[in-house]
Amino acid sequence: MGKVARTAEAIDPSTRTLLTEVDVPNKDGRLLPGSFGEVHFAVGTNVNKVTVPVNAMLFRSEGPQVAVIGTDNKVQVNTVLPKEGSTGWSDTWMLSAKAAHPNCMYKWMDWITSPEVNAQVAEYFGEAPAQTKACEHTSQKDFCDIYHATDAKFAADLHYWTTPQKHCVDGSGNNCTAYNEWVDKWQQIKG
Amino acid sequence: MSILLGRRISLALLLIPPLAWLVVAYLGSLAVLLVSAFWTTNAFTGAVVHTFTSDNIVRVLTDAVFRTATVRTVSVAVVVTVLCIVLAVPLAFYMAKVASPRVRLALVVAVTTPLWASYLVKAYAWRVLLSPEGPMSWTTGYSPGYGLTATVITLTYLWLPYMVIPVFAAFERVPDSLVDASSDLGASDFATLRMVVAPLVFPGIAAGSIFTFSLSLGDYIAVTIVGGKTQMLGNIIYGQLVTANNQPLAAALSIIPLVAIIGYLLAMRRTGALENV
């Protein structure tokens, strides 16, 4: 019985594998350096999971959603994740190093990321607010719950968009598919 | 002597700006394009790295997808050119030789007016027309949908005026007396058309075909609007330049249409069509 010491924290999209390091007790010296073995992971199964047919899912700009009947007997549309996880992005504001009026930009950033304004932006766009304090200011009270804004477990299943590079972002080597190769492949698919 | 010198100086002053423009801006940018085809990019930043490599040229010559797109693009350009000739020759003949001055003016206006409308508007109009739920399928029950056929139809429509106008001008320059003389000497209408009119009109057709061929060869906007997933060389070059940020490969790819149009011009020159334009 070993123990997971650490993982790469991100799944390699090309192989769909997660690099994992396991510490295994080897008091009797039966495991030799360089040898291969089959490993089974005991994964916690106490997570509340429901399987729904794909027809029941709503694919909307907010991401995949499922309509459920809430405790108050009203239909509620929940954002759900397929078991493979989903992709996501985070909006950012950047300040140009050569900005003519940097203080103006700082003031703008303070304003746009303030809880009240962030709540408005998130509800207008249909996305989880980046600012957790915004959850108190949304006009729809359960907005943050529907969008899993403060759900770390949900966020762990989101794969953030990155520019694919030869050098794998999860540190698994230098043989990943770079962005220009994706373009080449797409042109080949179109023929 | 000094008058001659003065004239030479003023001639030189007159010619230097257009020549400088031609050499620096036009040939210069082409030279930069050719040179950059031998460079490469940094995979992470996309910045052009100035190290010599023939990889791009080799890829352009060997990659199957580029070959398919080249064949498709040249075929589209040829088909569009042929369709434009088929449509333009009878129309131009009617305009120049048959129609009354009033009808001729109306037709010239009708042919040239579309040139005033934006290219994009015209391409979108064809997108609406050819749409599977659009006017064409209401009225005829048939629509080619978006694809190669739609691309050829749209490009033929877009470039037709560039064919009609030079052919019309060529027909206008054929003197009626030559046609009369030909029939006086006993030639049938068909023989007159073949032996007298056709050789005189051919340079006009050749001039128009250079427009339709080169414009079709470089088009990538109409095809994205009505072509569905159809890729022409222009789309591939655009994808490599803008989406993949691979400027050297895009430069290497753009040599293909350049060679094609040079080849076409040389072929036209061999026919002698360019000597009296």
Side-chain angles (χ1 to χ4, degrees):
Chain A
M1 195 68 144
K3 203 175 166 198
V4 174
R6 56 175 170 262
T7 73
E9 299 285 343
I11 291 171
D12 180 350
S14 56
T15 59
R16 294 173 179 234
T17 53
L18 178 71
L19 200 64
T20 309
E21 190 174 316
V22 184
D23 287 339
V24 185
N26 190 22
K27 275 183 206 153
D28 48 359
R30 285 208 299 173
L31 298 172
L32 301 172
S35 56
F36 288 89
E38 196 172 297
V39 179
H40 295 275
F41 289 95
V43 183
T45 51
N46 54 350
V47 189
N48 224 348
K49 272 184 188 157
V50 183
T51 307
V52 291
V54 76
N55 295 356
M57 289 184 66
L58 310 162
F59 294 95
R60 318 198 334 175
S61 60
E62 295 89 342
Q65 297 190 319
V66 165
V68 294
I69 295 171
T71 44
D72 53 355
N73 249 358
K74 281 183 184 162
V75 173
Q76 184 187 319
V77 178
N78 281 347
T79 299
V80 294
L81 279 184
K83 64 174 184 284
E84 295 87 355
S86 183
T87 61
W89 80 96
S90 185
D91 285 336
T92 47
W93 284 98
M94 293 182 209
L95 171 56
S96 164
K98 289 172 187 163
H101 306 288
N103 288 334
C104 186
M105 189 60 198
Y106 282 125
K107 280 196 184 300
W108 163 264
M109 286 202 196
D110 284 346
W111 182 77
I112 197 77
T113 57
S114 66
E116 297 84 0
V117 179
N118 195 221
Q120 289 173 28
V121 171
E123 286 200 277
Y124 174 78
F125 194 81
E127 62 185 354
Q131 155 73 280
T132 46
K133 284 183 189 156
C135 294
E136 296 158 26
H137 300 278
T138 52
S139 60
Q140 189 185 348
K141 281 300 137 211
D142 52 357
F143 185 82
C144 279
D145 297 335
I146 291 170
Y147 283 90
H148 301 264
T150 55
D151 184 347
K153 217 175 215 169
F154 185 89
D157 282 336
L158 293 178
H159 307 290
Y160 280 86
W161 297 357
T162 56
T163 303
Q165 300 160 31
K166 202 95 212 132
H167 180 79
C168 309
V169 281
D170 62 357
S172 63
N174 269 321
N175 204 18
C176 284
T177 310
Y179 186 60
N180 57 340
E181 292 175 59
W182 287 88
V183 177
D184 293 342
K185 294 281 184 279
W186 178 235
Q187 292 189 339
Q188 278 162 16
I189 290 167
K190 296 212 295 187
Chain B
M1 187 68 195
S2 68
I3 294 172
L4 198 68
L5 194 70
R7 275 195 183 163
R8 286 209 170 162
I9 289 172
S10 56
L11 186 68
L13 285 176
L14 204 65
L15 285 180
I16 283 172
L19 276 178
W21 170 260
L22 192 71
V23 172
V24 176
Y26 194 74
L27 295 178
S29 62
L30 269 180
V32 170
L33 183 83
L34 288 178
V35 170
S36 69
F38 293 95
W39 289 338
T40 182
T41 54
N42 180 310
F44 178 55
T45 60
V48 174
V49 182
H50 299 184
T51 49
F52 180 86
T53 169
S54 56
D55 291 358
N56 297 315
I57 304 289
V58 171
R59 256 195 79 188
V60 165
L61 294 176
T62 54
D63 210 325
V65 70
F66 299 149
R67 207 172 314 133
T68 316
T70 302
V71 171
R72 181 183 298 128
T73 307
V74 173
S75 310
V76 166
V78 169
V79 173
V80 167
T81 300
V82 169
L83 283 175
C84 282
I85 294 172
V86 168
L87 292 171
V89 168
L91 178 63
F93 175 75
Y94 180 79
M95 282 161 70
K97 294 290 172 205
V98 182
S100 66
R102 185 190 285 262
V103 174
R104 178 182 310 167
L105 183 70
L107 282 172
V108 170
V109 170
V111 168
T112 50
T113 309
L115 294 175
W116 292 70
S118 156
Y119 168 96
L120 269 183
V121 171
K122 289 182 280 184
Y124 274 116
W126 275 98
R127 186 186 168 88
V128 175
L129 259 174
L130 297 171
S131 149
E133 300 90 37
M136 189 175 175
S137 78
W138 307 334
T139 47
T140 63
Y142 168 79
S143 157
Y146 301 133
L148 208 54
T149 314
T151 307
V152 169
I153 293 173
T154 306
L155 290 178
T156 304
Y157 166 79
L158 285 171
W159 312 142
L160 186 63
Y162 297 95
M163 180 64 84
V164 174
I165 291 162
V167 178
F168 167 65
F171 270 119
E172 259 202 329
R173 275 188 298 182
V174 178
D176 289 341
S177 56
L178 280 187
V179 180
D180 291 342
S182 173
S183 48
D184 284 352
L185 292 169
S188 65
D189 286 352
F190 182 72
T192 304
L193 203 64
R194 191 169 60 87
M195 294 194 291
V196 178
V197 179
L200 289 169
V201 172
F202 182 71
I205 296 176
S209 78
I210 290 166
F211 286 122
T212 56
F213 186 79
S214 67
L215 290 170
S216 305
L217 211 56
D219 182 80
Y220 67 100
I221 299 170
V223 64
T224 44
I225 295 171
V226 297
K229 73 171 187 70
T230 309
Q231 290 191 115
M232 302 240 290
L233 273 174
N235 304 105
I236 291 193
I237 295 170
Y238 181 88
Q240 291 295 345
L241 182 67
V242 176
T243 317
N245 207 5
N246 194 343
Q247 196 251 315
L249 184 60
L253 281 164
S254 57
I255 293 173
I256 303 176
L258 201 64
V259 168
I261 193 67
I262 290 171
Y264 191 79
L265 285 172
L266 289 177
M268 282 295 121
R269 208 179 70 143
R270 271 184 80 96
T271 65
L274 304 184
E275 275 153 32
N276 310 309
V277 177

